[in-house]
Amino acid sequence: MPCFLNLFKGRMISHRGKRENMSTNNQRAWRCYCVRGDHENEICLIEISMGADRLRSRASIILLNVASGELFVWHGCKALPHCKELAMKAAERLKEK
């Protein structure tokens, strides 16, 4: 998997659902992404459903409003320092867009 993620240079985003299927289409303004990866070139954002039950103490989460451009980064209390750093780098890359 890390070799595959290196192809995207730390900019891979996996969205939920299918655009063609309205029952699984998640085209709302707010989107929630779990940050994965161990190195800067392996960062992957995976969209998860929103809700307090989705927050994990060892994870970093990015909350993005695609309509207004608002962006929040949440770190769990047990998130490792390098995971927090990768989440902040991913947030910076989203701001560039």
Side-chain angles (χ1 to χ4, degrees), residues 2-19:
C3 291
F4 177 73
L5 292 174
N6 274 317
L7 295 173
F8 297 95
K9 299 180 181 168
R11 298 179 187 271
M12 183 175 164
I13 301 175
S14 176
H15 300 283
R16 287 184 55 215
K18 296 180 182 178
R19 283 189 276 188

Side-chain angles (χ1 to χ4, degrees), residues 5 7 18 22-24 31 54 58 60 71 75-76 80 82 94:
L5 292 174
L7 295 173
K18 296 180 182 178
M22 291 310 291
S23 64
T24 62
R31 295 186 179 177
R54 299 294 181 185
R58 295 178 187 226
S60 291
L71 185 134
H75 302 292
L80 298 174
H82 79 279
L94 286 172

